[in-house]
Amino acid sequence: MIKFLLTLCLCMLFAFSAAAQTTLTGKVSASDEEGPLPGVAIQIDGTARGVATDFDGNFKISLSENDSVLIFSYIGYAKKRINVLGITTLNVVLDPEF
């Protein structure tokens, strides 16, 4: 009986932690008609967690309920901070830095 209760508690804990995670997908491109940007750094504000865009400018990042702002940075382009609360798909356009 104790093993059953322990297993049930662990399953519930896993379900609650999984429910707190969301996945955000999107694409990053340049405003100067350069097309998609590969290798854009995408960091969750206030953490060391992040991802980079693939060759076609696509990205996928897992967010917890406390992750609300992403920072997009790429050499030669202005950084962009975006509030992503409640968003599951995002297309970002970066502007050249002068």
Side-chain angles (χ1 to χ4, degrees), residues 20-35:
Q21 293 283 325
T22 60
T23 300
L24 175 69
T25 59
K27 186 170 189 163
V28 181
S29 57
S31 66
D32 57 359
E33 299 183 25
E34 290 295 319

Side-chain angles (χ1 to χ4, degrees), residues 43-87:
Q43 183 179 0
I44 300 169
D45 191 30
T47 73
R49 296 184 357 245
V51 296
T53 57
D54 66 13
F55 183 75
D56 296 317
N58 299 310
F59 69 92
K60 184 178 193 179
I61 189 167
S62 293
L63 303 171
S64 71
E65 60 188 24
N66 297 327
D67 300 329
S68 61
V69 176
L70 294 181
I71 302 169
F72 295 79
S73 59
Y74 192 69
I75 295 174
Y77 289 81
K79 278 186 180 181
K80 190 172 266 192
R81 296 172 56 90
I82 299 178
N83 185 329
V84 294
L85 275 177
I87 298 174

